[in-house]
Structure formats: C-alpha cells, structure tokens
C-alpha cells in the first residue's frame, strides 16, 4: 500500500514507468531510425535530433513550478493526455510534403511534455510511497522502464519493418554474377513469379562517364529529384566549410578509387511492367542483400531510391554496378528492391504510441492514489518562487567538488553520446556506404531487442555488484565496462559481417557493458544529490546528464560524414580517455551504495 492507502503500488508503478520511458525512446531513438528511412542525411539527423535533448537539459528550470502549482498527480495525468495528442499530430504530419519540419515540431512538444512528466512522476513516486517502499520498488520501476525501451526500440521498429516489407509490391531481386572477364545479371524475381518489376542489362557508350550519365538520365525521367540529389552530395563539394574540408582531408578515410575500366562496370535498368491503378506512384529502394561484397551498387554519388509514376512507369531507372578490379574468380551477389510504404509504416507506429498513451491516461486517472502529502503550495508568490529557485541552485553549485561532479556528468558518457546518434544509421546504411545494410526490422531485433536485453542484464548485475561492494569499489570496473566494449563498432565497421549472429553478439557485448557501467553514473548522481533539496538537485544533475548527451550528439553526424564510419568509431575510442580522467578526480564515500 502507498502512504495514502488505496491501490497497491503494483497496480500503477509498472504502468507509470512504462509510460515514462516511451516518449524518451521515441524522441531519442525511434526518431533517428524513422528519419534515416525517410532519406534524411546523417548530419541533419544528428544535429536536429540532438537538439531534442534540450527539454531534459533545461527541465530543472521549471521543476519548481511543478512543485508549487497543482499536484504531482495532476501534472502526471495532464502530461499523458498531451503526449497522446502530440503523438497523434506527429503521425499525421509524416505523409505531408513538409514532414521533416512538422515532425520535428511535434517531437519538441513530446520532449517538453515528457520532461515535465518525468519531474511529476518521480515526485509522485516519492509522495505515494514511504522510504521502505521507495527502496523496494526502485528495481520494479527500472525494470518496466527498460521493458518500455524494448517495446519502443524493438517491437515498434519491428512493426515498422513488417509494414515496410508488406505494404508495397513483392520484393524484386537481382542476381549479379561477375568474373574477371564479364558481368552478367539475372532477374530472379521473374523465376519466383514476381513480375511487377523487370531488370535488364543496359549498354552504354564506352566514352560516356557513367556516373554523370546515370544521374542525368534518372533526373530527366523523373525517377530522382535533382534538388534532393544536390543536397545529399553537398558535403562532398567545394562549397563545404574550410574546417569541414580540413577535417575530411586530415582525418577522413581514404576515398574509394574509381574503377577505370568499363569492363568492371555494368549499367542495369529497372522498370515497372505495367502502370499502377489510379496512377499511384511507387517508391523503390534497392540495396545489397547478400553475397560477395566485391560486387557493389554505386551509391556514394547516385541515388538508389526511385519514384515510378504515370509518366515514367514504362521507362528504365538506371543503376550502376561496379566490381572490384582485384577479383580473380567468379562470384555472385544479390540485390533487392523494396517498394513498401515507408511513411505509412511510421504513421502506424506513432498512432500506436498515441493509443498507448490514451489508454495510460485513462487507466491512471482511476488507479493513481491520492497521497495526502501531494498538494499544491498554498503560499505561492513571485517572491517565494524566485527565492526558492535561487536557493536551490546556490546550494547545488556550492557543494564540495561541484566542478568535478559537473565535469563527470558531462564527460562520463562522451563516447556513448556520439555513438547513440550513429549506431542506427550505421546499421541501416548499405555496405557500399560503410554500413551493415540491415533492414528496419533487423535493426529492431539487433539494437532494440538483443541490445536492450544486454543493457538490462548489465544494469541488473551492476546494481547487485554496487549493493555488495559499494560504488567506490566498483567504479573502475564499471568505467572499463562502459568504454572498452565500444571497440566492437570498430570491428563491425572494418569487417562489415553479413552474419546476424556476429552482429547480435557484438551489440549484446557493447550494450551489456554500457548497462553495467551506467550503474556507476546513476549512483553518483544520487550520491551527489544527497542533502537539502535532494529532489531538485537530482533534477539539476539529470539536466547536466542530458546536456552531456546533447552537445556531442549534435556534432556526431557531421563528424561521421566528414571522416567515415571507421574513423568515427576510432574517434569514440579516443574519447574514452575523457571518461577515465574525470573518474580519477571524483571522491566517493566507500560505504555509499552498499546494502545496509
């Protein structure tokens, strides 16, 4: 029972913290995957979604208002209703021409309401439970927070992947066989009874520059919009800033050597076999599926996303295949074209999220208790608000080791702050662009399910270890756990393995280490917040935590596109030095964290 009596904490703590996690996952992770699938560049994804951390950074500035006005219960319910509405608005903004601007605005609303919901829900938890119950249920709330993370990063992303795979025409597949003497293609979709698309080899004049020819033909026939193509290649032009150019030339990966021999290149045309009913346009995304990576689909400067409509359905969209000049024996590779409705897939995801929050708000309206201590402040005046606000921040910044603590909050997760913005684009990008070439559904399984399981197990074991030996004893093992496993991304970027088993194993190791090492971070925030105004001080700590994720994350996409995936992941390993350095200066009571 809570201190106010009424419903058992089991009836509302799991659902409350499930609801607390979902908006954060939507803003921080689902948004990244969605924008990648909708064709937004890594630079823009990292920059604009990085700004979405801001509500959690500045939430300490309005947390006093949540304390002073209304009750924590009222704020919790009001925010859940607003989040449900914001998710619905976001869903129906996705199919619009200005989807990027509109969905970013909706994500901002979700971010601010979610940050406010965090303040209210955490405060309500402390009002509704006594000290013993707060300790007992802290593991339960953390468990359901992680379950929501699995649901968001895993199940919802898998749902989007299923819709993408099944909402359009059946997948079209092209098999390419290459030897030192020739390149041949076979439309294996036709043999499987799939006849919506037709592949064919295309002859080209040996004097033609194939890259320019493909680009011009696809733009002229309306398969690719010239404006989009110019945007995607802008980073590679002379118009880029001097600093970006210096970074690229000094630290970037070696540019791929152009294949000089026409015999090592093959033009392939793909067209619809018949017009669609009601002149409905079809979007086809072609990517590497499996086989020998010596055979590549040129994507560095050419689009492999084609729009077929009533004006060009009977024309050929062109693709350019290149074969490694060092190839010594015959080999094959398979490429796949998917025509699923990507905007529809993500619209459904956010409609589901809106429905979940609608149900959560209705459920909590009746199930949340009404603690006697949860009441609005009666003596509320401008003078009181300003006095309490200033006193809270003064006591925080005058604590012993305040500067060291702030540096710890900002730098402990420096490598992860950059990785988290690039991991999903890395897994989704095709082999030719340095990624792993996974489908949306596969990313949902790898990162959103297997990764979260590793994160959860690591977090549980980290909590058990700290309870037995204390934070001070386990600090350095946890520092090593949150940094050293990042090496798996260096391996994945160089090896680009096709095996999902290997990819799953690597992600599990990294996320397990992150879960184990993150325990030290959260325990230190609690440790530093102890004393007067501990609730407000903890909110300030979480603001610095969000700032430490926001600033590095915003520049991660730009840096990755400048230096490439391989060198970017090496850079994150170098950043681990900052984590070790800040931990060398913090002081911790040896008994803190031990089970009493």
């Amino acid at each position: 029972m809570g201190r106010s009596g009424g419903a058992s904490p089991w009836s509302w703590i799991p659902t409350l913290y499930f609801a607390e996690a979902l908006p954060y996952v939507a803003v921080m992770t689902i948004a990244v995957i969605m924008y990648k699938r909708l064709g937004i560049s890594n630079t823009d994804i990292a920059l604009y979604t990085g700004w979405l951390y801001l509500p959690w950074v500045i939430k300490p500035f309005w947390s006093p208002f949540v304390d002073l006005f209304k009750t924590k219960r009222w704020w919790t319910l009001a925010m859940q209703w607003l989040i449900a509405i914001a998710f619905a608005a976001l869903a129906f903004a996705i199919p619009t021409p200005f989807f990027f601007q509109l969905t970013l605005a909706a994500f901002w609303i979700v971010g601010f309401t979610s940050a406010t919901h965090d303040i209210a829900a955490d405060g309500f938890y402390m009002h509704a439970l006594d000290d013993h119950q707060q300790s007992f249920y802290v593991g339960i709330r953390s468990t359901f927070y992680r379950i929501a993370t699995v649901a968001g990063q895993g199940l919802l992303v898998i749902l989007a992947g299923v819709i993408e795979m099944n909402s359009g025409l059946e997948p079209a597949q092209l098999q390419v066989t290459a030897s030192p003497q020739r390149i041949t293609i076979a439309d294996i979709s036709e043999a499987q009874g799939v006849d919506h698309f037709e592949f064919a080899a295309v002859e080209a004049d040996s004097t033609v520059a194939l890259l320019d020819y493909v680009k011009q033909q696809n733009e002229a026939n309306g398969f690719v919009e010239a404006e989009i193509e110019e945007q995607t290649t802008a980073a590679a032009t002379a118009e880029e800033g001097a600093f970006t150019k210096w970074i690229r030339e000094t630290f970037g990966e070696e540019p791929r050597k152009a294949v000089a021999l026409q015999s090592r290149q093959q033009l392939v045309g793909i067209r619809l076999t018949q017009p669609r009913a009601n002149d409905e346009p079809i979007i086809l995304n072609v990517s590497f599926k499996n086989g020998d990576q010596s055979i590549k689909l040129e994507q560095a400067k050419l689009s492999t996303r084609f729009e077929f409509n009533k004006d060009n359905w009977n024309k050929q969209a062109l693709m350019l295949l290149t074969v490694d000049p060092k190839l010594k024996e015959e080999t094959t590779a398979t490429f796949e074209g998917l025509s699923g409705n990507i905007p529809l897939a993500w619209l459904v995801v956010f409609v589901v999220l809106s429905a979940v929050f609608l149900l959560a708000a209705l459920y909590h309206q009746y199930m949340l208790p009404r603690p006697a201590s949860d009441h609005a402040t009666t003596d509320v005046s401008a003078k009181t608000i300003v006095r309490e606000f200033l006193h809270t921040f003064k006591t925080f910044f005058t604590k012993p080791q305040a500067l060291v603590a702030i540096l710890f909050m900002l730098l402990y997760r420096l490598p992860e702050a950059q990785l988290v913005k690039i991991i999903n684009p890395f897994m989704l990008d095709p082999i030719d662009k340095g990624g792993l070439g996974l489908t949306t559904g596969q990313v949902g399984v790898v990162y959103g399910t297997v990764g979260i399981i590793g994160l959860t197990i690591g977090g549980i074991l980290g909590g058990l270890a700290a309870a037995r030996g204390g934070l001070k004893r386990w600090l350095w093992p946890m520092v090593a756990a949150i940094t050293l496993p990042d090496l798996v991304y260096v391996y994945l970027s160089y090896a680009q393995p096709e095996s999902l088993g290997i990819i799953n194993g690597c992600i599990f190791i990294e996320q397990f280490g992150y879960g184990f090492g993150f325990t030290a971070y959260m325990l230190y925030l609690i440790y530093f917040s102890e004393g007067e105004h501990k609730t407000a001080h903890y909110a300030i700590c979480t603001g610095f935590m969000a700032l430490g994720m926001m600033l590095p994350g915003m520049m991660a996409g730009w840096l990755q596109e400048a230096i490439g995936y391989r060198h970017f992941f090496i850079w994150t390993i170098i950043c681990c030095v900052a984590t070790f350095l800040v931990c060398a200066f913090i002081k911790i009571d040896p008994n803190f964290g031990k089970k009493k």
Side-chain angles (χ1 to χ4, degrees), residues 171-185:
Q173 293 189 349
L174 170 71
Q175 186 177 69
V176 182
T177 302
S179 69
Q181 293 78 33
R182 63 183 181 275
I183 304 172
T184 59
I185 68 169

Side-chain angles (χ1 to χ4, degrees), residues 119-141:
I119 298 168
D122 291 340
F124 181 82
Y125 178 86
M126 290 185 281
H127 279 288
L129 304 176
D130 59 35
D131 292 344
H132 171 70
Q133 289 175 318
Q134 288 180 40
S135 300
F136 178 80
Y137 286 103
V138 69
I140 304 303
R141 59 182 264 187

Side-chain angles (χ1 to χ4, degrees), residues 426 484-493 505-507 509-510 573:
F426 168 63
L484 299 183
D486 292 346
L487 286 166
V488 301
Y489 293 112
V490 177
Y491 163 73
L492 289 173
S493 64
C506 289
I507 300 301
I509 290 170
E510 188 271 332
I573 297 299

Side-chain angles (χ1 to χ4, degrees), residues 24-352:
Y24 184 83
V25 173
V27 172
M28 295 296 107
T29 302
I30 297 178
V32 173
I33 300 173
M34 180 187 78
Y35 286 138
K36 185 65 182 177
R37 294 298 294 137
L38 291 172
I40 305 300
S41 71
N42 287 3
T43 298
D44 286 344
I45 290 172
L47 176 62
Y48 291 107
T49 63
W51 273 110
L52 296 176
Y53 275 111
L54 188 62
W56 285 273
V57 173
I58 63 176
K59 73 178 182 180
F61 291 102
W62 74 85
S63 59
F65 295 95
V66 179
D67 277 334
L68 294 171
F69 296 99
K70 298 289 186 179
T71 65
K72 308 296 184 300
R73 186 181 188 276
W74 183 91
W75 280 102
T76 300
L77 293 171
M79 293 305 104
Q80 289 179 3
W81 285 108
L82 284 176
I83 292 170
I85 295 170
F87 275 140
L90 197 157
F92 293 104
I94 291 172
T96 63
F98 304 103
F99 78 91
F100 190 45
Q101 296 88 338
L102 293 177
T103 54
L104 277 174
F107 275 125
W108 271 98
I109 297 172
V110 172
F112 276 102
T113 50
S114 176
T116 307
H117 182 268
D118 291 354
I119 298 168
D122 291 340
F124 181 82
Y125 178 86
M126 290 185 281
H127 279 288
L129 304 176
D130 59 35
D131 292 344
H132 171 70
Q133 289 175 318
Q134 288 180 40
S135 300
F136 178 80
Y137 286 103
V138 69
I140 304 303
R141 59 182 264 187
S142 298
T143 298
F144 278 88
Y145 192 98
R146 287 195 171 96
I147 290 173
T149 306
V150 173
Q153 294 182 196
L155 298 180
L156 288 176
V157 175
I158 292 171
L159 172 63
V162 170
I163 296 173
E164 285 184 17
M165 291 288 289
N166 295 282
S167 59
L169 302 175
E170 294 181 65
Q173 293 189 349
L174 170 71
Q175 186 177 69
V176 182
T177 302
S179 69
Q181 293 78 33
R182 63 183 181 275
I183 304 172
T184 59
I185 68 169
D187 188 345
I188 59 177
S189 300
E190 187 176 0
Q192 298 170 350
V194 178
D195 59 357
H196 306 294
F197 292 97
E198 181 180 77
F199 292 100
V202 176
E203 297 298 327
D205 190 329
S206 60
T207 63
V208 172
L210 293 184
L211 281 173
D212 293 338
Y213 177 74
V214 171
K215 185 175 183 295
Q216 292 167 3
Q217 289 297 308
N218 285 341
E219 289 178 1
N221 290 324
F223 295 113
V224 175
E225 292 185 22
E227 293 79 11
I228 294 177
E229 198 64 15
E230 288 170 4
Q231 291 173 8
T232 59
T233 59
T237 68
E239 296 178 3
E240 67 185 4
F243 180 68
T244 302
K245 185 177 181 180
W246 177 78
I247 290 289
R248 185 189 304 279
E249 293 176 349
T250 307
F251 301 105
E253 296 177 21
E254 288 293 326
R256 294 188 181 94
K257 294 181 179 179
V259 180
L261 300 176
Q262 290 281 337
S263 62
R264 296 292 188 177
Q265 297 178 315
Q266 176 64 55
L267 281 181
V268 177
I270 181 171
R271 67 177 183 86
L272 279 172
T273 55
Q274 57 186 357
R276 299 295 296 161
N278 302 320
D279 294 329
E280 178 187 0
I282 294 292
I283 305 296
L284 184 72
N285 290 277
V286 183
S287 62
F288 179 91
K289 181 175 176 61
N290 55 48
D292 193 334
Q293 296 177 19
S294 299
I295 305 171
K296 296 184 180 295
L297 183 61
E298 178 58 60
Q299 293 176 286
K301 296 182 179 179
L302 297 177
S303 174
T304 52
R305 178 186 184 275
F306 309 112
E307 179 177 342
F308 292 86
N309 52 47
K310 61 184 179 64
D311 297 320
N312 65 13
W313 71 269
N314 58 346
K315 298 177 183 179
Q316 286 185 320
L318 297 181
M319 303 180 296
L320 179 60
L321 295 168
T322 62
V323 177
D324 190 337
K326 298 187 293 294
L327 184 69
K328 301 299 183 184
E329 57 187 20
E330 185 172 284
T331 188
T332 62
T334 302
F335 297 86
E336 184 174 61
L338 299 177
S339 57
N341 191 329
I342 296 175
L344 173 65
W346 294 102
L347 183 151
V348 171
V349 165
F350 286 100
V351 167
V352 169

